[in-house]
Amino acid sequence: MAVRQLRYEGDEILRKKCKEVTVVDDKIRELLDDMLDTLHTMPNGAAIAACQVGVLKRLVVIDMGNGVIKLVNPKITGTSGVQESIEGCLSFPDKAGITVRPKKVTVQAQNEFGEEILLEGEDLMAKCLCHEIEHLDGRVFLEHVISFVD
């Protein structure tokens, strides 16, 4: 495992669309592990997308303290409700804002072994899933900010 360099605001890779993973193999599992190691070096980090470490693959790692979730090719298949909350991003460390996101989301993905999974998230997890999956499409949380906070 290794800690990878995080990409920050202004890096064009954060605005590029990630490519679908066609084969979930040891290289993908190693990258997911590197993403987790990188996430664990960041203060207040809950999740990370592959583009944030410079890799344009549809991969997300989440660790909000309830166990690690590794997602390959995640996509949101359903949403409901609305929530406003404070949101930030590892790649934009000096910015935080109030965003509007779904209160509940359903996500279809593969796990680190290529098995199909269905995941539901509410509240903080819903916000996190939306945030990270949007990274995979070259979108960032700033697009959802309705007001900035200090």
Side-chain angles (χ1 to χ4, degrees):
M1 274 52 87
V3 174
R4 297 193 177 217
Q5 182 163 346
L6 194 69
R7 302 301 180 96
Y8 293 98
E9 182 175 15
D11 191 319
E12 64 184 38
I13 201 164
L14 295 173
R15 295 295 190 161
K16 292 186 176 182
K17 189 168 181 153
C18 294
K19 293 181 179 4
E20 190 167 315
V21 174
T22 55
V23 177
V24 182
D25 57 13
D26 287 341
K27 284 188 81 138
I28 293 298
R29 285 185 281 279
E30 181 179 345
L31 176 55
L32 288 164
D33 288 341
D34 288 355
M35 290 168 60
L36 182 63
D37 287 346
T38 304
L39 176 63
H40 285 160
T41 68
M42 308 305 294
N44 302 318
I48 193 166
C51 61
Q52 291 180 274
V53 294
V55 179
L56 290 173
K57 293 192 183 291
R58 297 189 73 79
L59 301 170
V60 168
V61 173
I62 300 169
D63 187 358
M64 296 189 345
N66 302 330
V68 173
I69 301 169
K70 297 175 181 177
L71 301 174
V72 178
N73 300 322
K75 60 184 168 193
I76 295 172
T77 58
T79 65
S80 64
V82 176
Q83 65 174 321
E84 286 186 15
S85 60
I86 295 176
E87 192 167 336
C89 180
L90 297 174
S91 292
F92 298 81
D94 299 325
K95 295 191 172 145
I98 297 173
T99 59
V100 177
R101 297 279 193 182
K103 186 162 180 59
K104 185 175 181 180
V105 298
T106 304
V107 172
Q108 180 182 350
Q110 293 170 282
N111 65 17
E112 65 185 302
F113 303 105
E115 301 162 336
E116 292 291 325
I117 59 171
L118 197 61
L119 179 66
E120 288 189 347
E122 288 189 65
D123 301 318
L124 183 59
M125 180 59 86
K127 175 179 71 171
C128 182
L129 287 164
C130 289
H131 179 114
E132 298 307 327
I133 292 170
E134 283 183 354
H135 265 304
L136 303 180
D137 291 322
R139 299 180 63 207
V140 297
F141 85 104
L142 297 174
E143 298 170 32
H144 296 277
V145 171
I146 57 174
S147 65
F148 287 95
V149 296
D150 293 330

